[in-house]
Amino acid sequence: MPHPTFHFAILGLGNIARKFAQDLALIDDAKLVAVGSRSLERAQAFARDFDAPYAAGSYAATFDGPRVDAVYIATPHVDHLRLAIMCLEKGIPVICEKPMGLNLTEVEQAVRLARENKVYLMEALWTRFLPSTLKLKEMIDAGVIGTIESIRSDFGFRAQDLELALQPFSAPATAPENTDRHPAAGLERNRILNPELGGGALLDIGIYPQFLSQFLLGPPEKIYAQARLSPQGIDLDTSVTCVHASGRMSHNYSTVLGRTKTEALIIGSKASLHWHPRWHEPSSFSLLTGKDTPPENFYFDFGGANGYRYEAEAVMADVRAGLTENARWSLDDSLALHRTLTEVRRMVGVRYPGEGL
Ligand SMILES: NC(=O)c1ccc[n+]([C@@H]2O[C@H](COP(=O)([O-])OP(=O)(O)OC[C@H]3O[C@@H](n4cnc5c(N)ncnc54)[C@H](OP(=O)(O)O)[C@@H]3O)[C@@H](O)[C@H]2O)c1
């Protein structure tokens, strides 16, 4: 018997929500039934664009309409925990954008609640579900590159309004009410650079290199981290070296100072894999063997998708099967990842307002 159509809701209707909704439209038995925004007008416009029958002017009211089988949380990081708790307490399965929380304590809180309430929860680590990732892992597990010796990966782009963030802070001498001179002035809505919104390279994009190293080498045994911080105290340029089991290392770099290649190199004892830019999204890779042998290239048909349909399909399959977590990206995987990310932030001195690390 075919499954009934799977009903999704989305909270926070920004950039990533739009891409996720575009991908949902590619899944035959999925439907976006409800969208929630801080603004009813924005919700109605989004609902019109994606043919969603229900639009709410608050996140809480999103669930007053049609049945929802799972909700996708797509707000800035600082709201992930609060909204995950709201949904889990209502018994609604959650796929939460990365990072699932600002720090390990927040992620632990969400995981504890999901497990106590036996409600589905998954961090939207979409890269884990891409066909390119699955193939690469299959080849590694089959021994194609031998033992992984080392991993190097990066992710970088130039953040909007960076010049504003880089202005050195000088306390206004004569006009304390002149907030224009405050270093965060003008960055209120910039979630990449604003500490109030959980800004910084590590949590936004450095999470991908850390994911890759954990995925292939396990959680690190030792961490060495350095970062250049903005005057507002968020990390702009972040370099993390991890030592994993058997002394194997991963070199994980993220920056919001400028564009990098955003590629990954998985260095094996017999061969290496070069994951092409931008490796974390629908992409291709090459198998590099002897220096005189041409690379063997692996390309994938993503069917026009942005790449988010695979994580959405994983959630659908899990929830339909009555599972409360995903086997490929489990809650223990998220906990381990956030243990590392929080430790890196502690080492480089990034603290968000009100946070004690
Ligand atoms: N998986 C990926 O590839 C990927 C890519 C980009 C981002 N992300 C993640 O997705 C999340 C959202 O990123 P985004 O790029 O979509 O951000 P965005 O374009 O700024 O959208 C975030 C949305 O959250 C809502 N929101 C709630 N409180 C807000 C606040 N104080 N300031 C600004 N917006 C607020 C707004 O929607 P309403 O006004 O409708 O409430 C806003 O449109 C982040 O946690 C990020 O890490 C993931």
Side-chain angles (χ1 to χ4, degrees), residues 2 7 39 60 67 98 157 170 205 208-209 218 255 280 282 292 339:
H7 289 185
S39 137
R67 181 195 89 240
K98 38 61 58 176
F157 65 88
S170 55
I205 51 179
Y208 289 102
T255 186
H280 72 291
D292 299 322
R339 195 164 291 120

Side-chain angles (χ1 to χ4, degrees), residues 9-344:
I10 302 181
L11 304 183
L13 306 178
N15 162 52
I16 197 64
R18 192 156 279 276
K19 290 188 180 165
F20 188 83
Q22 285 165 355
D23 272 17
L24 281 189
L26 302 173
I27 306 174
D28 285 344
D29 55 350
K31 170 127 188 84
L32 181 61
V33 295
V35 293
S37 168
R38 296 166 303 165
S39 137
L40 182 59
E41 293 70 33
R42 259 199 308 281
Q44 286 169 334
F46 194 99
R48 262 194 310 279
D49 286 351
F50 292 99
D51 196 25
Y54 191 76
S58 78
Y59 299 142
T62 307
F63 306 102
D64 294 344
R67 181 195 89 240
V68 170
D69 295 316
V71 58
Y72 171 59
I73 297 174
T75 58
H77 317 339
V78 283
D79 263 346
H80 290 177
L81 176 69
R82 179 178 72 82
L83 294 175
I85 289 174
M86 180 186 85
C87 299
L88 292 170
E89 284 179 341
K90 290 177 189 289
I92 298 164
V94 172
I95 170 170
C96 180
E97 254 313 331
K98 38 61 58 176
M100 191 192 281
L102 270 191
N103 53 44
L104 178 61
T105 308
E106 288 199 2
V107 175
E108 283 172 339
Q109 214 180 321
V111 168
R112 201 177 312 118
L113 182 63
R115 285 179 171 163
E116 277 168 13
N117 288 13
K118 298 187 176 47
V119 182
Y120 187 85
L121 174 64
M122 187 182 85
E123 185 174 32
L125 235 305
W126 63 309
T127 307
R128 177 64 186 89
F129 301 91
L130 297 174
S132 41
T133 307
L134 303 187
K135 178 66 181 172
L136 186 122
K137 182 74 164 85
E138 181 194 304
M139 287 170 62
I140 291 171
D141 289 348
V144 172
I145 65 168
T147 307
I148 298 177
E149 302 285 12
S150 183
I151 297 177
R152 193 187 73 197
S153 68
D154 71 291
F155 192 156
F157 65 88
R158 188 163 177 88
Q160 215 180 342
D161 293 332
L162 191 63
E163 290 70 19
L164 202 56
L166 290 178
Q167 280 172 15
F169 176 57
S170 55
T174 51
E177 73 283 2
N178 179 3
T179 52
D180 286 353
R181 295 183 64 197
H182 189 276
L187 296 176
E188 293 82 1
R189 285 181 299 280
N190 187 324
R191 68 169 189 81
I192 306 292
L193 298 175
N194 185 346
E196 303 279 345
L197 295 180
L202 184 73
L203 287 195
D204 196 59
I205 51 179
I207 193 170
Y208 289 102
Q210 286 308 144
F211 149 75
L212 181 63
S213 70
Q214 177 180 312
F215 174 46
L216 297 179
L217 293 177
E221 293 178 350
K222 281 191 207 149
I223 301 171
Y224 303 89
Q226 286 200 310
R228 170 179 166 191
L229 305 191
S230 73
Q232 299 82 30
I234 58 101
D235 62 302
L236 299 169
D237 198 41
T238 309
S239 184
V240 185
T241 296
C242 294
V243 182
H244 303 258
S246 314
R248 295 175 299 168
M249 290 166 71
S250 66
H251 309 274
N252 310 311
Y253 175 60
S254 54
T255 186
V256 294
L257 295 176
R259 178 73 200 263
T260 69
K261 274 188 144 180
T262 307
E263 63 186 356
L265 197 59
I266 299 148
I267 300 157
S269 54
K270 290 202 309 209
S272 296
L273 287 163
H274 173 212
W275 211 337
H276 303 159
R278 295 182 338 154
W279 67 270
H280 72 291
E281 61 188 16
S283 56
S284 52
F285 61 80
S286 302
L287 177 68
L288 313 178
T289 45
K291 75 177 170 54
D292 299 322
T293 315
E296 188 182 347
N297 298 317
F298 294 80
Y299 297 107
F300 300 86
D301 178 7
F302 292 95
N306 295 316
Y308 303 100
R309 70 172 292 168
Y310 307 103
E311 61 178 5
E313 285 168 334
V315 171
M316 291 167 64
D318 288 343
V319 171
R320 281 171 167 162
L323 302 176
T324 51
E325 8 189 320
N326 183 268
R328 287 200 166 120
W329 189 249
S330 70
L331 295 178
D332 283 343
D333 291 331
S334 286
L335 287 168
L337 182 62
H338 287 278
R339 195 164 291 120
T340 304
L341 294 172
T342 299
E343 178 58 15
V344 170

